[in-house]
Amino acid sequence: MSEYAINCIGLNKRYGKTQALDNLSFSVKQGEIFGFIGPDGAGKTTLFRILTTLLLADSGTASVAGFDVVRDYKALRKILGYMPGKFSLYQDLTVEENLTFFAGIFKANIKENYYLIKDIYDQIAPFARRRAGKLSGGMKQKLALSCALIHKPVVLVLDEPTTGVDAVSRREFWEMLIRLKKEGITIIVATPYMDEAILCDRVALIQHGKILVTGTPSFITGAYPWKLFRVRSNNTLNLISQLKKHPDIHSADMFGEYVHAGTEHGKLNTEAIHAFLEASGTVMTEVSEIPAGIEDCFIDLMRKENE
Amino acid sequence: MNNAETAIEAKDMVKRFGSFIANDHLTFSVYKGEIFGFLGANGAGKTTAIRILCGLSKPTSGEIRVAGFNVFTETEKIKKHIGYMSQRFSLYEDLTVFENFRFYGGIYGMSRSAIREKTSEMLGKLGITELRNTIIASLPLGIRQKLAFSVAIMHTPEIVFLDEPTGGVDPITRRQFWTMIYEAAASGITVFVTTHYMDEAEYCNRVSIMVDGRIEALDTPAKLKARYEAASMNDVFIKLARNTIEK
């Protein structure tokens, strides 16, 4: 087997007029957590369905764990764990029955592999006799992950496992993924949450079926082309319109209680921004220089792509 | 109590399903023209509360007024005075942009001419007048979300309920969407919004955080951060929700 757990070259997929995947190429190393970060409609689910042999690409090649997704689909399915975006367990079966079913079709021994899912499954074990359809969202997510793991897959494919999940459960879910990585499982995960990027070893930012950039989170944020400041004021919308009037300020975007302003390098410092805003009558409480985050990068790359 | 200044007034709102208490004596007010963030963990009871406030479900007990109307006896009046939008249900995909406006405007009892006028005004504001006769299904998600919000406020409701309106939306559209929310609030529409994006909690005038059917905290983002000694609303949320789970 090569050092790559996943290797894709020139994947294309079109639905009518929509180019869902546009010449997509990337590779994922063994044992990595690789994140696909992008909004709904970016092509994440289409890509994951191709990787899990559920959909054929129009052109291009993809291999997972050394198996070609078309030629070797039977062998590949045995070693994949897949958690689709929509809950797709059997609603009428109980928690326990679902797990037994998935172990059965993969000919896996629940006792032997239980250590892999113990941390997750222990939390839903008190509801083992409950029908899956009657579980809360967080518990469904834990059961789906348990079922995707019970045959000890080589590669785990997770399509938006944290969408619609609250901040606490999201954090717990990522703690589980990091434990699974230590077991040597390669994980590819899609998410619309930019803040989850830093939890991945490498990420691809994806939009309109194209990869905007691939790399470690620190590589991507390090390549941010502007000098970034954060500014706070009692009137965010007014602050944004004032900042945009300055010729050296390239962008001004809301980030929680702050506005992030991207500026030409070597043109502005905190004092200059402070003076400019003060002259315009804007009441501000803070101006400071900050490093860019993944969301800053995503916004910047999106704007370049749209231009 | 000054009803003129509040859009929502809830006192001891209780909703039971059998032995399970989904809303456990919720007491809060939402002021007119305010952006009110309604946060909570999954299963904390947010959806139950929103269904009651929209007149879709009757509470077990409590004194609750929405836009001045009683949730026990005046649900039809409530429905006429509110707007609603969620990520899951918003526009009819097989209808055109204008057909959606006409359908919702009709439900809200607007006249044909008022609907036409409002549609052109709102499409003009979004800069998409040329999409008037386009089928919704063929539009990008970002534009659909903005249209769904426009439709939800086309009858100038007193309150608009937004249930995770920005889920899965790209970061630029998310910000444009919040600019629209600010503008709606500035025009006097009260905004009641849920979200899992904690940076969006910072955009609200006040935020309530529900845990296990109760409101654990309600204040401005700045005061909540000070009280829980947290750098961000994300930290406030995690402290509150996680502590309670560990209890």
Side-chain angles (χ1 to χ4, degrees), chain A residues 40 164 166 254 256-257 295, chain B residues 42 168 170 174-175 196 203 225:
Chain A
D40 288 357
D166 67 68
M254 285 191 254
E257 62 183 318
E295 192 154 356
Chain B
N42 299 111
D170 73 68
R174 208 150 70 77
R175 284 165 174 80
H196 286 307
Y203 304 151
K225 281 182 280 183

Side-chain angles (χ1 to χ4, degrees), chain A:
Chain A
M1 211 192 289
S2 72
E3 64 165 311
Y4 290 116
I6 299 174
N7 206 359
C8 293
I9 303 164
L11 285 181
N12 281 291
K13 182 72 189 180
R14 178 184 279 278
Y15 302 112
K17 275 187 281 182
T18 310
Q19 189 77 40
L21 295 182
D22 190 356
N23 200 23
L24 210 71
S25 300
F26 70 97
S27 25
V28 177
K29 289 177 201 152
Q30 278 188 49
E32 259 188 333
I33 298 184
F34 191 95
F36 269 90
I37 319 273
D40 288 357
K44 305 189 296 290
T45 297
T46 297
L47 171 66
F48 282 18
R49 288 197 177 143
I50 291 171
L51 293 179
T52 50
T53 78
L54 301 173
L55 186 71
L56 292 172
D58 297 337
S59 61
T61 59
S63 65
V64 179
F67 295 113
D68 185 277
V69 293
V70 181
R71 196 187 57 220
D72 309 320
Y73 77 96
K74 277 190 178 163
L76 176 52
R77 285 180 184 181
K78 293 200 171 92
I79 54 123
L80 272 181
Y82 176 43
M83 187 171 154
K86 276 202 184 125
F87 183 69
S88 26
L89 301 181
Y90 292 95
Q91 313 255 3
D92 294 340
L93 296 186
T94 64
V95 167
E96 203 169 31
E97 286 165 346
N98 265 293
L99 188 68
T100 311
F101 175 80
F102 278 90
I105 53 171
F106 283 106
K107 298 188 175 68
N109 185 326
I110 294 183
K111 274 191 189 143
E112 220 166 77
N113 292 342
Y114 191 75
Y115 73 99
L116 262 185
I117 63 164
K118 187 179 184 309
D119 289 337
I120 313 155
Y121 194 77
D122 278 356
Q123 297 178 47
I124 49 173
F127 310 100
R129 298 281 171 85
R130 191 178 286 187
R131 285 182 188 197
K134 299 277 180 201
L135 294 174
S136 74
M139 288 199 278
K140 278 183 184 167
Q141 178 207 41
K142 290 186 176 105
L143 177 59
L145 183 61
S146 299
C147 290
L149 277 171
I150 194 59
H151 60 298
K152 201 177 184 194
V154 176
V155 175
L156 183 62
V157 179
L158 305 171
D159 193 0
E160 299 211 13
T162 56
T163 290
V165 172
D166 67 68
V168 173
S169 307
R170 285 210 283 139
R171 182 179 278 206
E172 287 172 355
F173 194 82
W174 275 94
E175 285 166 1
M176 289 189 266
L177 293 192
I178 287 158
R179 283 198 294 270
L180 291 172
K181 174 190 150 79
K182 288 187 184 135
E183 298 290 337
I185 297 175
T186 303
I187 300 170
I188 173 168
V189 55
T191 177
Y193 293 103
M194 305 279 149
D195 60 350
E196 293 182 352
I198 51 163
L199 301 164
C200 302
D201 295 312
R202 287 192 307 140
V203 296
L205 306 189
I206 183 169
Q207 165 90 352
H208 302 319
K210 279 187 209 160
I211 291 178
L212 301 170
V213 65
T214 312
T216 62
S218 61
F219 168 81
I220 292 171
T221 53
Y224 185 73
W226 312 98
K227 187 171 170 180
L228 193 66
F229 295 89
R230 74 174 189 192
V231 189
R232 185 162 57 178
S233 140
N234 59 353
N235 185 336
T236 302
L237 289 187
N238 175 56
L239 175 62
I240 289 174
S241 64
Q242 286 304 328
L243 286 166
K244 283 183 173 167
K245 285 179 189 163
H246 197 290
D248 296 323
I249 294 179
H250 168 265
S251 62
D253 298 293
M254 285 191 254
F255 272 79
E257 62 183 318
Y258 298 97
V259 171
H260 286 190
T263 69
E264 300 275 352
H265 275 281
K267 291 278 176 73
L268 290 169
N269 55 24
T270 53
E271 289 77 20
I273 293 174
H274 203 279
F276 168 72
L277 289 171
E278 205 151 61
S280 75
T282 307
V283 181
M284 85 221 91
T285 51
E286 185 190 324
V287 183
S288 52
E289 192 183 337
I290 53 160
I294 288 289
E295 192 154 356
D296 295 295
C297 298
F298 199 100
I299 290 174
D300 187 58
L301 291 164
M302 258 186 87
R303 288 212 174 101
K304 283 207 182 89
E305 193 71 24
N306 293 345
E307 267 162 19

